[in-house]
């Protein structure tokens, strides 16, 4: 997405802000660097249980992952395209790598190759077996969490989470939907050099480090409400709100012409729905045919939507991340951050402030087309895992 970074800042060097300082190993390289994969593998170093690559859509993803498979050798590598990267703050046109050292982590990945043909029983059985194998293989690693990487262009995250939630047991999960920048086109995943679409990778990790999976937002429910009166749930499409064309009614409630709706509007004026006593975001992705609204997550007729108001993002994020320190000394944070948060920060000229918060709290990750937390697919949040120093255990 153009303009997302700080235009006054010098481009970060490959390998800057990382490496072996801390539990997670991290590295970054320019998306256009033909030697990026080899450089990232060298920067992360040997003894990695799992490597994650967050790849800007400006890179040649297939070539990048093929080179990564060669460079990392026997180390398992997962990768996805992004809607922006996080490494020392918000960055663009980068490849960000994260390595989990085998001295501190063990990982087991389940490939879900076709999101249109999920077999619940078989998937849940594979999840249970993966957890059991990790527990047997590293009995001294007392802590565990799960990480989900999923194609964000499929609109199948809700269906996937409905199954995955039944197999998690007590394991906390977070994840992110791969993106295609601000184009909202096809996103891609890869395991090693094998590129996939309409797929997901679910990874269970055990570690000797205490961990905490979290989900933050900066929203409060406002007074404005509306009812979805016409929808196509399978396509996350809303035709009507309050019995009139959806885009026109949403714009009317905002006091804007329908022709002026854009991603900046959706980021600044999110919608929430109350489920189980809590509000959850239902973000709008785009307008279709001038009248319909396409959402990032599940939507259906009869749903009551409420306009939300935003708190200061940088201050809210700083307070939330600082609060993670109540559980001990936070060493590293791996996060999935909704693209609409980045768009809002850009619109409100808070990119620098939010980036400084991310850097101060040692956050690495990527911007997503949606986030997963527990058994839910959510939007307009930052979800992730805080990894604490093992001496706190």
């Amino acid at each position: 997405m153009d303009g997302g970074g700080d235009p006054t800042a010098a481009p970060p060097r490959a390998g800057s802000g990382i490496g072996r300082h801390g539990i997670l190993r991290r590295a970054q390289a320019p998306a256009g660097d033909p030697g990026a994969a080899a450089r990232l593998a060298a920067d992360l170093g040997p003894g990695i249980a799992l490597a994650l690559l967050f790849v800007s859509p400006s890179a040649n993803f297939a070539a990048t992952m093929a080179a990564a498979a060669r460079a990392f050798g026997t180390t398992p590598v997962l990768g996805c395209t992004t809607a922006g990267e996080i490494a020392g703050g918000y960055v663009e046109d980068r490849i960000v790598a994260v390595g989990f050292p085998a001295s501190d982590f063990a990982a087991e990945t389940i490939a879900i190759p076709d999101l249109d043909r999920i077999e619940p029983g078989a998937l849940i059985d594979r999840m249970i077996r993966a957890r059991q194998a990790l527990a047997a293989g590293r009995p001294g690693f007392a802590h565990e969490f799960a990480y989900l990487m999923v194609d964000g262009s499929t609109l199948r995250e809700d269906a996937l989470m409905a199954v995955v939630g039944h197999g998690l047991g007590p394991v906390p999960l977070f994840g992110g939907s791969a993106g295609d920048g601000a184009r909202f086109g096809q996103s891609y995943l890869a395991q090693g050099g094998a590129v996939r679409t309409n797929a997901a990778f679910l990874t269970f990790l055990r570690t000797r480090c205490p961990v905490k999976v979290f989900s933050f937002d900066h929203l409060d429910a406002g007074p404005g409400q509306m009812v979805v009166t016409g929808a196509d749930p399978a396509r996350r499409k809303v035709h009507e709100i309050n019995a009139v064309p959806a885009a026109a009614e949403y714009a009317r409630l905002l006091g804007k012409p329908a022709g002026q709706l854009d991603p900046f509007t959706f980021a600044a004026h999110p919608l929430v729905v109350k489920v189980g006593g809590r509000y959850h975001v239902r973000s709008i992705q785009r307008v279709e045919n001038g009248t319909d609204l396409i959402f990032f997550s599940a939507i259906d007729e009869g749903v009551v939507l409420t306009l939300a108001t935003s708190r200061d993002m940088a201050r809210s994020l700083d307070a939330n991340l600082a609060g993670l320190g109540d559980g001990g000394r936070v060493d590293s944070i791996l996060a999935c951050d909704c693209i609409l948060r980045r768009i809002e920060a850009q619109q409100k000229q808070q990119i620098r402030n939010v980036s400084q918060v991310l850097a101060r709290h040692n956050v690495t990750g990527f911007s997503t087309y949606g986030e997963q937390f527990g058994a839910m697919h959510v939007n307009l949040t930052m979800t992730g895992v805080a990894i604490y120093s093992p001496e706190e255990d």
Side-chain angles (χ1 to χ4, degrees):
M1 182 174 56
D2 295 337
D6 176 7
T8 66
R13 296 179 296 105
S16 64
I18 32 179
R20 318 287 175 84
H21 304 293
I23 296 168
L24 291 185
R25 301 182 190 175
R26 292 150 296 169
Q28 57 175 301
D33 180 359
R39 185 179 302 180
L40 293 171
D43 283 344
L44 293 190
I48 300 294
L50 173 70
L52 302 178
L53 266 60
F54 306 126
V55 183
S56 166
S58 65
N60 184 323
F61 183 70
T64 297
M65 294 307 301
R70 295 190 296 270
F72 281 91
T74 58
T75 298
V77 182
L78 301 177
C80 70
T81 54
T82 76
E85 302 79 56
I86 301 172
Y90 285 142
V91 295
E92 301 283 345
D93 298 321
R94 312 294 293 178
I95 303 170
V96 175
V98 176
F100 294 85
S103 57
D104 300 300
F105 297 89
E108 187 78 23
T109 296
I110 297 171
I112 306 168
D114 188 348
L115 297 182
D116 291 325
R117 294 179 175 82
I118 301 171
E119 298 181 6
L123 177 55
I124 292 170
D125 182 66
R126 293 169 66 197
M127 293 171 64
I128 294 171
R129 290 177 181 273
R131 289 182 56 210
Q132 290 174 338
L134 281 176
R138 298 306 297 263
F141 287 6
H143 309 280
E144 61 182 337
F145 65 96
Y147 170 69
L148 183 69
M149 181 182 285
V150 57
D151 181 350
S153 57
T154 64
L155 310 183
R156 295 288 296 165
E157 295 101 327
D158 297 289
L160 174 62
M161 295 312 297
V163 177
V164 168
H166 289 292
L168 283 174
V171 181
L173 175 144
F174 81 100
S177 300
D180 181 38
R183 296 187 295 262
F184 299 107
Q186 181 64 58
S187 55
Y188 297 93
L189 312 175
Q191 187 173 33
V195 176
R196 295 183 182 272
T197 58
N198 195 37
F201 298 114
L202 174 61
T203 301
F204 288 96
L205 295 102
R206 289 191 73 92
T207 174
R208 70 188 187 97
C209 305
V211 296
K212 182 176 182 179
V213 170
F214 63 84
S215 180
F216 301 143
D217 64 47
H218 62 296
L219 303 173
D220 296 307
Q225 290 190 333
M226 63 201 79
V227 180
V228 177
T229 51
D232 179 355
R235 300 178 64 190
R236 297 179 182 166
K237 179 186 292 188
V238 173
H239 305 295
E240 290 184 355
I241 292 174
N242 296 340
V244 297
E249 180 67 356
Y250 173 72
R252 184 190 70 80
L253 292 169
L254 299 181
K256 296 172 65 80
Q260 292 184 9
L261 298 180
D262 57 22
F264 293 101
T265 306
F266 306 142
H269 303 282
L271 299 169
V272 295
V273 59
K274 197 170 187 178
V275 179
R278 293 185 58 189
Y279 283 99
H280 301 276
V281 181
R282 290 294 181 266
S283 299
I284 301 169
Q285 183 187 103
R286 67 183 189 276
V287 178
E288 187 171 273
N289 301 324
T291 59
D292 300 335
L293 296 176
I294 307 299
F295 282 69
F296 274 108
S297 56
I299 199 73
D300 204 348
E301 292 182 8
V303 170
V304 178
L305 297 169
T306 301
L307 280 170
T309 58
S310 299
R311 300 187 297 275
D312 182 281
M313 187 189 300
R315 291 180 182 176
S316 178
L317 180 61
D318 194 29
N320 284 325
L321 292 174
L324 293 172
D326 294 343
R329 187 174 70 83
V330 178
D331 179 275
S332 309
I333 295 174
L334 177 64
C336 301
D337 189 51
C338 183
I339 182 178
L340 293 180
R341 289 169 56 88
R342 183 181 288 234
I343 289 173
E344 181 182 343
Q346 179 184 1
Q347 181 188 34
K348 296 182 177 179
Q349 299 182 343
Q350 283 217 336
I351 285 287
R352 182 188 292 273
N353 292 342
V354 175
S355 290
Q356 289 174 344
V357 171
L358 294 170
R360 184 161 59 249
H361 292 280
N362 208 13
V363 178
T364 306
F366 74 108
S367 292
T368 74
Y369 279 1
E371 305 80 59
Q372 291 77 49
F373 178 67
M376 295 188 65
H377 175 61
V378 294
N379 300 120
L380 246 174
T381 67
M382 172 179 281
T383 66
V385 61
I387 299 170
Y388 297 85
S389 299
E391 64 265 24
E392 298 291 344
D393 186 10

